[in-house]
Amino acid sequence: MPMMTRDVLLEMELEEDDEEDGDIGNVPASKRPLMAPPTLPSSLALENLEQTNVSGFGSLKSQQDIRTPEFEEFNGKPDSLYFNDGQRRIDFVLVYEDESRKETNKKGSNEKQRRKRQAYESNLICDGLQLEATRSLVDDKLVFVKVHAPWEVLCTYAEIMHIKLPLKPNDLKTRSSAFDNFNWFTKLLQVDESIIKPEQEFFTAPFEKNRMNDFYIQDRDTFFNPATRSRIVYFILSRIMYQVRDNVKKFGINKLVSSGIYKAAFPLHDCNFSTPSEDLSCPNERYLLYREWAHPRSIYKKQPLDLIRKYYGEKIGIYFAWLGYYTQMLLLAAIMGVACFLYGYFTEDNCTWSKEVCDPDIGGQIIMCPQCDKECPFWSLNVTCESSKKLCIFDSFGTLVFAVFMGVWEESSSSGCGSIVTGSQTSSDCHNQNSDLMPMSRLSLLSLTVVGTSVKSEQTLPGVTLFLEFWKRRQAELEYEWDTVELQQEEQARPEYEARCTHVVINEITQEEERVPFTTWGKCIRVTLCASAVFFWILLIIASVIGIIVYRLSVFVIFSGNLRKISNGTDPIQKYVTPQMATSITASLISFIIIMILNTIYEKVAIMITNFELPRTQTDYENSLTMKMFLFQFVNYYSSCFYIAFFKGKFVGYPGDPVYWLGKYRNEECDPGGCLLELTTQLIIIMGGKAIWNNIQEVLLPWVMNVYGRCHTVSGAEKITPRWEQDYHLQPMGKLGLFYEYLEMIIQFGFVTLFVASFPLAPLLALVNNILEIRVDAWKLTTQYRRMVPEKAQDIGAWQPIMQGIAILAVVTNAMIIAFTSDMIPRLVYYWSFSIQPYGDHPDYTMEGYINISLSIFNIADFKSRVKESPYAESKYDTCRYRDFRYPPGHPQEYKHNIYYWHVIAAKLAFIIVMEHIIYSVKFFISYTIPDVSKSTKSKIKREKYLTQKLLHENHLKDMTKNIGVIAEKMIGAVVDNNLRPKSD
């Protein structure tokens, strides 16, 4: 199909405006962003493009300028990925509803949509793309426009997009591993290479048309793989214009889809997921991925990351590489957590302080003070017997060891990513590979001009652990293998950003003019408005947390009056359900519901704020949205846990002088054993509820939607439905892609690390969830969703510094949970200092008598003098006990903190300091002793640099020398001819 020399723009009268993104304002053509490469005939100056407009709502004026796709009937080949001629491959599919057959025909709206679509498709043809249209077999209103990019278009845009393509087969030998002796075991976990064959390895370099002979081109049809072809076509589709109105140009397939002109736009899956294609030339990669990756029988196998990367792109490949690594790290944490739990479970019977609580002669004789002013009765300590037994399981010496271990583990799975520094180019390498399959290609080091390539690490912490060091080494290998070192240089600006580039500034480095969307003052205004909006929503979350606290304080009075009756302390309900537990469970459920509601609302708000902020590249957009969403989610999910862990029961005063919250509500108190068990309950409810809700959203909802769609649209001709129509009835992935998958895992990472000292089984639950999550995500991608546009990605983006921040905070939170939320430090202080002389009466170190010393005495008669209108002044009890370390009544410093309290405070602070320094010292030592990049990877980098320079630079020099030699020979020949020519008389 010939390429046209002019584009067609549709000039419309005043009508409903579309979304703001994708518009070009009234700016001189010389200052407008370039929408198409200058090498294509269709890319004339934008002012020339305006000469071929289509105006009015009636018939098109310049019919000779409109190019429409060819309509073809379906050829009866359901597995075909080509046009009807069998030669041109389908690189993308556009779907629209024929306006002439729509049932709801609004006045004029269908005609507007038709003319916009026709102008857009005509401009696609003008830019060199080839289109073929086929009407749906199931719904005759639907039309599928198949898009093909010919060789010349692919080469032109590959150079513009700096796509790296093969230069020469890789001749580097793979070194034998020390684990080769265990091949008999690792083969069980690996994908069979006879099923998924390793790809041939290549050295690669950014494509250049004038050096095409230097690239490894054996077959033009396979030189650009399907993922690369789709990526190039999507780049074009996102930048083609279709309308001009009042000198404002609109462009891009995303805008057309969102406005309903097209119903969908997607690349094709290569076959059915359950059966291989009948086409012998089809690689059946989707079928192989489902069989060896997404199917439940492959749950124990390693992921075929290279095939995932080849089929879906580096962005999805890196997600699954990171998720696989995180899951592997959870395995060791889960083993340690189970060991800690079992230690607490089997030593429960040796828990002396719990025995004293449950002993009728000790705990049964201790009368506790009311925990509210009027409604709450006195209660017996042994009411908390069952909760004290549970607390012994989680609040044991094993918890201390596990918390120290997790302080090291957290950094191993999050912090610090090695960086490959090549000259002035530094690229983070936060990737991981979970498969032993060899990669398809190698990174070209064409930009390496420094002979001595150095490798260093950029980290926010003084050190990292053994796991992290090996993770960083694998990171460097993955960045080398997946061609992502120079991604920041390759990434193009978003079309929405380009459309707003109306201000001209001078680049400080090049001293040349460049266009930006807003001035420095305008950028400050946008940043201020965005930050204010985010801050407002965080305040809204804090307000909801305050509401939950008020609820807890209010209903605790009711539960205390109804659940605690000393005369009936053996009732089964009262035996297992204390007022604190009932309050905690109901408040956690309400908190979870509020969390999910606020999440749903804020997701839309965060997208609106980020769109207004207008980041330059897609990576910048996702990173900005990531930081906003996580900041919100962090406060939303963790605020209630922080309240229970570090605020509840810490500022309550004592019965005669309680502390009131908001001047009305008496602050909550913890059980005699502390708030650790309540924190555990909160974690279980939120983690469990979140996992169930996510599975409903990720698995059940897409499956139900697809089944519903097939039942209403697919007829008896389903078996002969073409590939593009089958894919259309799948669910779209969504604009944000894997954003919510990352968010789910990072929130889980926070629960596993920030509060793991209170719930050692959290890593085990996370491990089981992640093993299923990997396969569920794989199942969704291969069976329920349309194929995503392959995208490049260098790392996991802003999630990496977020994990680093969580890891830093987790060391502190776990130390503080043990010190201030757990009762471990007071028990240790009692055991080593106050159980023996001079403070204690026991001859040997023991925990006997700890309950008595940990509960202070209050004189009930003091209620009358200290609390107005106290109903307890006439009580039958003389004294009651409360949880604190204060002097008893009658002491010269009555109700003041005693010496035991100050010993405990000093021990808590010392524990926090020592624990943090031990963890950071271990990390620093390991980080110093293990290099970030392995010796073999350094050798590969140097070897590839040498070969790249030899192939490209030396070949180019030879061509120039040869051309100069030819010119010199011609010049010498001309001189000789002149000298030998006889002179005329």
Side-chain angles (χ1 to χ4, degrees), residues 18-213:
D18 294 326
E19 298 177 4
E20 292 184 358
D21 51 353
D23 299 346
I24 302 179
N26 187 10
V27 182
S30 60
K31 297 182 180 180
R32 292 175 185 164
L34 186 65
M35 292 295 107
T39 54
L40 291 181
S42 60
S43 302
L44 303 176
L46 292 182
E47 59 266 24
N48 294 333
L49 297 179
E50 298 176 10
Q51 297 175 1
T52 53
N53 291 338
V54 182
S55 60
F57 295 122
S59 60
L60 300 177
K61 290 186 177 181
S62 302
Q63 289 289 349
Q64 67 275 12
D65 293 328
I66 297 295
R67 296 295 180 268
T68 58
E70 303 172 356
F71 266 84
E72 299 287 347
E73 296 294 332
F74 174 51
N75 59 9
K77 298 179 180 179
D79 294 329
S80 177
L81 303 175
Y82 295 86
F83 283 12
N84 274 12
D85 58 14
Q87 301 296 323
R88 292 174 291 175
R89 183 182 181 90
I90 302 173
D91 299 317
F92 226 86
V93 175
L94 309 178
V95 186
Y96 69 88
E97 192 172 3
D98 191 345
E99 294 81 3
S100 62
R101 304 191 182 188
K102 282 186 178 180
E103 296 179 359
T104 57
N105 189 350
K106 295 182 180 179
K107 184 177 181 181
S109 63
N110 288 347
E111 181 64 18
K112 296 175 187 177
Q113 292 186 353
R114 181 182 65 84
R115 296 170 62 225
K116 289 180 182 180
R117 176 179 50 76
Q118 287 182 343
Y120 181 73
E121 292 174 357
S122 180
N123 290 339
L124 290 179
I125 297 174
C126 289
D127 259 29
L129 296 180
Q130 298 175 4
L131 309 182
E132 181 181 89
T134 301
R135 196 169 292 277
S136 170
L137 298 179
V138 177
D139 185 355
D140 60 358
K141 294 191 296 293
L142 293 179
V143 177
F144 295 87
V145 180
K146 294 160 282 183
V147 183
H148 169 77
W151 171 259
E152 182 66 23
V153 174
L154 293 173
C155 291
T156 300
Y157 278 93
E159 183 173 2
I160 292 172
M161 298 171 67
H162 305 286
I163 295 178
K164 294 181 176 69
L165 294 169
L167 279 174
K168 176 185 176 181
N170 191 339
D171 61 353
L172 295 177
K173 296 181 179 180
T174 304
R175 296 186 179 183
S176 59
S177 172
F179 298 96
D180 288 346
N181 296 329
F182 299 94
N183 279 345
W184 60 271
F185 175 73
T186 57
K187 280 186 177 181
L188 297 175
L189 305 178
Q190 295 174 359
V191 177
D192 190 351
E193 292 188 0
S194 63
I195 299 176
I196 300 180
K197 297 179 181 180
E199 296 289 331
Q200 184 178 4
E201 302 173 10
F202 291 96
F203 295 116
T204 64
F207 184 77
E208 299 179 31
K209 291 180 68 175
N210 58 355
R211 293 184 176 181
M212 191 176 298
N213 293 333

Side-chain angles (χ1 to χ4, degrees), residues 649-695:
K650 303 300 186 294
F651 312 100
V652 296
Y654 61 96
D657 188 19
V659 176
Y660 289 89
W661 198 72
L662 298 178
K664 180 179 180 181
Y665 299 99
R666 180 172 169 177
N667 278 359
E668 287 185 282
E669 297 183 28
C670 297
D671 275 332
C675 289
L676 191 68
L677 188 60
E678 187 173 348
L679 179 59
T680 303
T681 304
Q682 181 84 1
L683 287 173
I684 293 174
I685 290 177
I686 294 182
M687 284 188 67
K690 184 175 179 295
I692 295 173
W693 176 257
N694 287 335
N695 286 329

Side-chain angles (χ1 to χ4, degrees), residues 137-373:
L137 298 179
V138 177
D139 185 355
D140 60 358
K141 294 191 296 293
L142 293 179
V143 177
F144 295 87
V145 180
K146 294 160 282 183
V147 183
H148 169 77
W151 171 259
E152 182 66 23
V153 174
L154 293 173
C155 291
T156 300
Y157 278 93
E159 183 173 2
I160 292 172
M161 298 171 67
H162 305 286
I163 295 178
K164 294 181 176 69
L165 294 169
L167 279 174
K168 176 185 176 181
N170 191 339
D171 61 353
L172 295 177
K173 296 181 179 180
T174 304
R175 296 186 179 183
S176 59
S177 172
F179 298 96
D180 288 346
N181 296 329
F182 299 94
N183 279 345
W184 60 271
F185 175 73
T186 57
K187 280 186 177 181
L188 297 175
L189 305 178
Q190 295 174 359
V191 177
D192 190 351
E193 292 188 0
S194 63
I195 299 176
I196 300 180
K197 297 179 181 180
E199 296 289 331
Q200 184 178 4
E201 302 173 10
F202 291 96
F203 295 116
T204 64
F207 184 77
E208 299 179 31
K209 291 180 68 175
N210 58 355
R211 293 184 176 181
M212 191 176 298
N213 293 333
D214 294 328
F215 287 87
Y216 192 78
I217 305 177
Q218 290 187 325
D219 185 357
R220 288 190 172 188
D221 293 334
T222 59
F223 182 64
F224 295 97
N225 62 39
T228 304
R229 297 176 66 98
S230 298
R231 188 174 150 219
I232 292 174
V233 171
Y234 181 74
F235 182 87
I236 300 173
L237 295 176
S238 300
R239 286 159 173 79
I240 293 297
M241 292 178 283
Y242 61 88
Q243 178 190 358
V244 56
R245 180 171 61 84
D246 297 334
N247 290 326
V248 176
K249 299 186 185 301
K250 299 182 180 294
F251 63 90
I253 187 61
N254 292 332
K255 188 176 174 105
L256 291 171
V257 172
S258 62
S259 61
I261 296 175
Y262 285 100
K263 298 183 71 67
F266 52 89
L268 288 178
H269 283 295
D270 63 353
C271 66
N272 195 296
F273 72 87
S274 57
T275 55
S277 173
E278 297 179 359
D279 187 352
L280 298 179
S281 63
C282 179
N284 295 310
E285 292 175 348
R286 184 191 186 195
Y287 169 73
L288 293 177
L289 285 173
Y290 174 74
R291 176 181 172 183
E292 300 297 326
W293 179 44
H295 198 279
R297 68 186 177 192
S298 301
I299 194 170
Y300 65 92
K301 291 185 179 181
K302 292 184 177 181
Q303 302 181 79
L305 292 179
D306 291 304
L307 184 59
I308 298 171
R309 173 242 182 171
K310 178 184 176 183
Y311 190 76
Y312 288 110
E314 285 77 7
K315 192 169 188 177
I316 291 182
I318 285 175
Y319 164 73
F320 283 102
W322 170 78
L323 183 56
Y325 167 77
Y326 172 45
T327 304
Q328 286 180 341
M329 291 297 98
L330 281 173
L331 178 60
L332 184 58
I335 293 174
M336 292 295 296
V338 172
C340 171
F341 176 81
L342 293 177
Y343 174 83
Y345 179 79
F346 288 114
T347 59
E348 178 185 355
D349 294 337
N350 299 327
C351 188
T352 304
W353 68 271
S354 178
K355 290 181 179 179
E356 291 184 348
V357 171
C358 298
D359 190 341
D361 297 328
I362 301 177
Q365 300 301 319
I366 295 178
I367 304 302
M368 302 296 294
C369 296
Q371 293 182 318
C372 55
D373 291 337

Side-chain angles (χ1 to χ4, degrees), residues 522-539:
K523 184 176 182 179
C524 292
I525 294 177
R526 285 174 178 262
V527 171
T528 302
L529 293 176
C530 293
S532 301
V534 174
F535 183 68
F536 168 78
W537 277 89
I538 291 177
L539 291 179

